[in-house]
């Protein structure tokens, strides 16, 4: 299996509001940036979308080192999701799981790969995290301008 590092981030201008996501894929000397945005979203949805888009960009099963500054995404996929499945996609307080559409998509794309999940502190000078933060922020800004936010 090929080894790939994926760095992801999401951003939102307002929460909800215009949002963006950014991804950096690294394999050996090769790098690829991906980014996009939505006009009415939340920060958590953009964080999840970044991970989904990064994993979906891989055309074959890979060994993935995935880096995110989102505890929501990392805890969700590594700790909470099995309980949600057992509880019929309800939280411990019996409420529907938020963003279940994206959780289902993430489970599907993650299942194709062997993934090591890593948390990185946001805005702490981590070069790749700063890079994907800029991609996500730029997309959120662009979507906001297109929607007449500024």
């Amino acid at each position: 299996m090929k080894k790939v590092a994926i760095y992801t981030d999401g951003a939102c201008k307002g929460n909800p509001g215009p949002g963006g996501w950014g991804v950096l894929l690294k394999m050996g000397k090769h790098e690829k940036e991906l980014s996009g945005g939505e006009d009415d979203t939340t920060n958590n949805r953009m964080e999840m979308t970044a991970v989904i888009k990064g994993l979906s960009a891989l055309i074959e099963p890979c060994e993935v080192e995935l880096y995110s500054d989102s505890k929501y995404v990392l805890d969700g996929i590594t700790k909470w999701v099995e309980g949600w499945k057992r509880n019929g996609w309800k939280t411990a307080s019996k409420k529907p799981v938020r963003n279940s559409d994206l959780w289902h998509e993430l489970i599907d794309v993650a299942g194709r790969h062997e993934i090591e999940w890593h948390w990185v502190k946001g805005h702490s000078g981590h070069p790749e995290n700063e890079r994907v933060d800029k991609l996500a922020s730029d997309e959120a800004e662009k979507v906001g301008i297109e929607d007449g936010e500024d």
Side-chain angles (χ1 to χ4, degrees), residues 37-57:
E38 294 181 19
D39 61 353
D40 186 27
T41 190
T42 65
N43 190 67
N44 283 341
R45 288 188 69 82
M46 290 294 89
E47 295 281 4
M48 293 179 73
T49 298
V51 174
I52 292 165
K53 295 291 188 179
L55 292 171
S56 296

Side-chain angles (χ1 to χ4, degrees), residues 106-139:
L106 179 53
I107 291 164
D108 182 51
V109 296
R112 301 179 199 146
H113 308 286
E114 292 179 14
I115 304 172
E116 288 279 335
W117 302 90
H118 303 280
W119 180 74
V120 293
K121 185 173 172 60
H123 311 286
S124 64
H126 186 284
E128 290 87 357
N129 184 257
E130 296 294 333
R131 191 165 155 189
V132 293
D133 176 69
K134 180 162 177 28
L135 288 171
S137 296
D138 288 353
E139 287 289 343

Side-chain angles (χ1 to χ4, degrees), residues 15 17 25 37 55 61 69 90 94 107 113 136 145:
N15 199 18
L25 298 116
L55 292 171
D69 62 8
K90 301 270 192 236
K94 307 291 184 225
I107 291 164
H113 308 286
I145 291 170

Side-chain angles (χ1 to χ4, degrees), residues 14-15 21 42 52 73-74 85 96 100 105 130 132 137 140 142:
N15 199 18
W21 55 268
T42 65
I52 292 165
V73 172
L74 296 180
K85 288 180 188 178
S100 63
E105 196 173 347
E130 296 294 333
V132 293
S137 296
K142 189 179 352 175

Side-chain angles (χ1 to χ4, degrees), residues 45-105:
R45 288 188 69 82
M46 290 294 89
E47 295 281 4
M48 293 179 73
T49 298
V51 174
I52 292 165
K53 295 291 188 179
L55 292 171
S56 296
L58 304 175
I59 57 174
E60 62 188 74
C62 295
E63 288 182 27
V64 178
E65 298 286 332
L66 194 138
Y67 299 86
S68 172
D69 62 8
S70 171
K71 288 278 195 178
Y72 174 71
V73 172
L74 296 180
D75 286 347
I77 198 67
T78 64
K79 297 177 184 175
W80 305 333
V81 76
E82 292 306 317
W84 293 336
K85 288 180 188 178
R86 277 193 310 275
N87 295 333
W89 288 93
K90 301 270 192 236
T91 65
S93 59
K94 307 291 184 225
K95 294 180 180 166
V97 172
R98 287 188 179 157
N99 304 312
S100 63
D101 59 328
L102 293 180
W103 285 116
H104 282 91
E105 196 173 347

